[in-house]
Structures are given as C-alpha cells and as structure tokens.
Amino acid sequence: MTELHLWLRHEVRPTERRTPIVPSDARRLVESGVTLTVEESPQRIFPVEEYEAVGARVAPARSWESAPAAAVILGLKELPDSPGRLTHRHIFFGHAYKGQPGAAELLRRFTAGGGELLDLEYLVDDTGRRLAAFGYWAGYLGAALAVLQHRGRLTAPLAPTSKEELDETLRPAAGDADFTALVIGALGRSGRGAGVALRAAGAEPTCWDLDETRDLDRPALLAHDLMVNCVLATTPIPPFLREEDLDDPARRLRTLSDVTCDVGSPLNVLPVYDRTTEWTDPVRRLRKEPPLDLIAIDNLPSLLPKEASEDFSASLLPLLLGFEAGGTWGRALDRFHQACREHGIEEGELPHV
C-alpha cells in the first residue's frame, strides 16, 4: 500500500468520547507500516498511553492544523470553526451532502485550502452498501432512552455507561405498565439495534421497513405508545409525522426517538422539530396535552463509547489498511467533488465571513 500517515485528532465536542480506531487496531496499522499520530484527548474512552504503547506517536490536541501536508486527518464529528482554509484530507462525518445547515461553508473551507473530505457516511462498496457505521448502537441507545423516558426513569444529564449497566436499567420493574412500540427502518443496522433494546425492556416491537412505509398507515403509527425512527432517507419520501398528526385527537403516541436526526435536511422524514436535543437536556416536549416527548441526540453511540468504538474500528480497519486512490476511497472522493459542484463551489473559493 502507499505509505500512509494517519493523524487521529481530538474531538472538539465535549460529549464525544468515541474513537474511530481503538488501540488494538492501531497496533495493526502500525505493524502494517502506517505512521499513526494520536492527539491527546482527555475525553476519549481510550487513553493516549494505550496508543503510544502500540507504536503511535503522540501530539497535543488540535495540532493537526500544522500536521505534515500528506497526513490524513481522522476523526468522527464536526471540526472546529477555524481554520477557514482546510489543507489536508480529512476523514469524518461531515453531514454536508444533503443540504444540511452549514454544509456549503464547510465545503468552501476545503476548496479554499485545497483539502478534501472523505466522508465516513459515504464509504460504500460498489453496490452502495455502507461499510462502516455506528448504526446498531445508535438504534439501541435511541430505543433505550425512549423506554426510560416513557417509564419516567430517564435522568439528566446523560452520562456514558456500559451495556451491562444499561441493560439492567431497561429490565421491567414492578409497576411498569406494558407499552406498544414501533420501529421504522427495522431491517437496517439502527433498526436491529432498536429492536434488541426494546426486547430487553420487555416489549415486542412492531417492525416497519420499506414495504410498510410505501403506503403509510398513519392511524396505525399514531396508535403506538412509543416510536423509534431509524430511517435515513436518500431520496424524497412523504414524512412519517406532520404537525397535523401531532394534534390528531386519536394520537396515542407519547414518546418519539429520532435516531437519524436529519433535522434541517429537505429529506427529513420527521419535520416536526427544528433542533436536536443534548445530553444535558435530552428530552423536548412537542405537545403538552396529550403529552409527546422527543429525544433527538445526534451522537447517541457515545453513551456506550467502548462498545461502539470497538465495533466501528473493526469495520474501518480493513479500509484503512487498503487505503488507496480507487475503490471505496475513490468513490468517497468523487462524492465530495460532486457535492461541491452541487453547491456551485469552485476550487479556491473562500468561505463566507
């Protein structure tokens, strides 16, 4: 493989504790000849000493800005607002290809500096199947938090935990009433995770996917007590919930968990809220009477940072070991250039100030 220098950056979001590469897989990279630099990060679930022990170099947080030009900067969530010109190739979830707020500005930062975005969401095989995703744990946690809220046992602020501890809180307790649950997108990674969490809570969910949503039965949807949305639309489809549905007098739905959090996108299938919720304030009441509570946290897997990181790293490792111009990485680069064209952004165009 071409000599590769990977630079694992510190995450600027305070609640982001995951990592795309865990120390055991970092060892594999180093042994294969990859130069790996890991930034110090007090919040990363794995301490930097574990990376150093397997042969990685250590650098201060945010030193990626002055990394060698050929280094590929690896992260998960959003970049800091500066610098305005991004000169490196970056691998992370950019959320910039579907008209999301701030998308054009992020792309302009890359074109202004000559850098490139290799978006983790668009690492796909030649059939379009995603090759690395946190979906299972996002669905699991989205459903778990919805159950705890529905039962009146969700406390804030949220804090990272382990699967064993979370499963213990999900088990039905004396006095817990039965509830009906619906998972939309049940056949995908997130949907499968949501189903496992709901069953751990003692509920057998109704499972909908493409066949059930082509001709949506809205009364049936609203007749469930709890709903978990795991659908990330890639083409326009009718929304699953509309404002008028929330005011339907027959609505039984009381708890809504949106795992996808596609707020701001024209493809959003739940256009009934305008901002996500946070670890400090995880629930927003959309209607007072009858009540309807929303959970929409866009980094759910960080609540189980060890399990989520280990699964994701196992999927990403073979792609990094095969890092090259074509194939999966070539498709990701093509998608970046396509997005720039779609926004009318030309090479060297500066971000708006």
Side-chain angles (χ1 to χ4, degrees):
M1 63 179 289
T2 304
E3 184 176 345
L4 174 64
H5 184 177
L6 277 177
W7 193 288
L8 180 61
R9 61 175 170 86
H10 161 72
E11 298 288 336
V12 296
R13 186 185 296 205
T15 59
E16 189 50 74
R17 303 196 66 213
R18 294 171 295 174
T19 176
I21 289 293
V22 302
S24 58
D25 290 332
R27 181 192 296 276
R28 294 274 308 279
L29 289 169
V30 172
E31 290 175 347
S32 75
V34 173
T35 299
L36 178 64
T37 299
V38 179
E39 292 188 356
E40 297 169 334
S41 178
Q43 66 208 40
R44 189 186 296 126
I45 186 62
F46 298 98
V48 74
E49 290 80 9
E50 293 190 23
Y51 293 93
E52 190 173 24
V54 300
R57 303 173 182 178
V58 175
R62 285 202 63 172
S63 56
W64 62 264
E65 297 175 26
S66 57
V72 179
I73 314 303
L74 175 62
L76 285 177
K77 300 300 283 187
E78 65 272 7
L79 294 171
D81 292 337
S82 63
R85 293 176 172 85
L86 297 170
T87 60
H88 296 89
R89 281 178 294 175
H90 282 256
I91 303 172
F92 70 106
F93 289 105
H95 302 300
Y97 295 169
K98 295 190 298 179
Q100 297 98 324
E105 290 306 296
L106 175 63
L107 295 175
R108 286 191 183 94
R109 290 172 67 189
F110 279 106
T111 59
E116 296 168 333
L117 170 60
L118 301 173
D119 196 303
L120 287 166
E121 187 177 337
Y122 294 84
L123 297 183
V124 298
D125 63 17
D126 54 10
T127 69
R129 182 180 66 89
R130 285 183 63 181
L131 299 175
F134 284 102
Y136 177 89
W137 293 109
Y140 187 93
L141 281 153
L145 296 185
V147 169
L148 295 177
Q149 173 63 19
H150 198 74
R151 288 176 171 164
R153 293 204 288 271
L154 186 63
T155 58
L158 302 179
T161 185
S162 68
K163 183 177 182 296
E164 292 75 18
E165 292 174 342
L166 183 58
D167 283 351
E168 184 64 31
T169 67
L170 284 178
R171 293 189 180 96
D176 282 342
D178 292 338
F179 63 90
T180 57
L182 170 66
V183 177
I184 304 186
L187 298 182
R189 290 186 181 96
S190 295
R192 292 196 300 272
V196 170
L198 289 165
R199 293 180 187 99
E204 184 59 44
T206 302
C207 295
W208 288 2
D209 210 87
L210 287 174
D211 289 344
E212 293 80 9
T213 54
R214 284 194 182 96
D215 186 14
L216 191 69
D217 186 342
R218 294 185 188 279
L221 184 156
L222 296 172
H224 289 83
D225 298 307
L226 181 154
M227 170 181 151
V228 184
N229 174 55
C230 298
V231 172
L232 180 65
T234 56
T235 57
I237 60 175
F240 299 153
L241 279 176
R242 307 160 301 182
E243 286 290 335
E244 56 264 38
D245 298 321
L246 306 192
D247 297 318
D248 187 327
R251 171 176 60 83
R252 181 173 172 178
L253 186 65
R254 297 291 183 268
T255 308
L256 171 63
S257 180
D258 187 9
V259 173
T260 302
C261 293
D262 211 13
V263 61
S265 165
L267 303 181
N268 184 13
V269 296
L270 294 177
V272 293
Y273 70 100
D274 59 2
R275 65 191 189 281
T276 58
T277 61
E278 308 293 339
W279 287 28
T280 52
D281 191 14
V283 181
R284 178 171 304 125
R285 181 144 289 185
L286 297 180
R287 289 293 186 274
K288 292 183 178 180
E289 196 60 42
L292 176 60
D293 292 331
L294 167 75
I295 298 171
I297 296 171
D298 66 359
N299 67 333
L300 283 166
S302 199
L303 289 164
L304 288 177
K306 183 176 184 294
E307 293 89 343
S309 295
E310 288 173 343
D311 278 2
F312 188 84
S313 180
S315 299
L316 186 61
L317 176 64
L319 300 178
L320 293 174
L321 289 172
F323 191 88
E324 58 185 16
T328 296
W329 296 104
R331 285 187 285 271
L333 183 58
D334 289 344
R335 187 63 186 88
F336 164 70
H337 290 299
Q338 177 187 339
C340 291
R341 292 193 298 270
E342 289 169 353
H343 282 84
I345 299 170
E346 299 179 359
E347 185 175 350
E349 182 176 345
L350 298 179
H352 294 161
V353 178

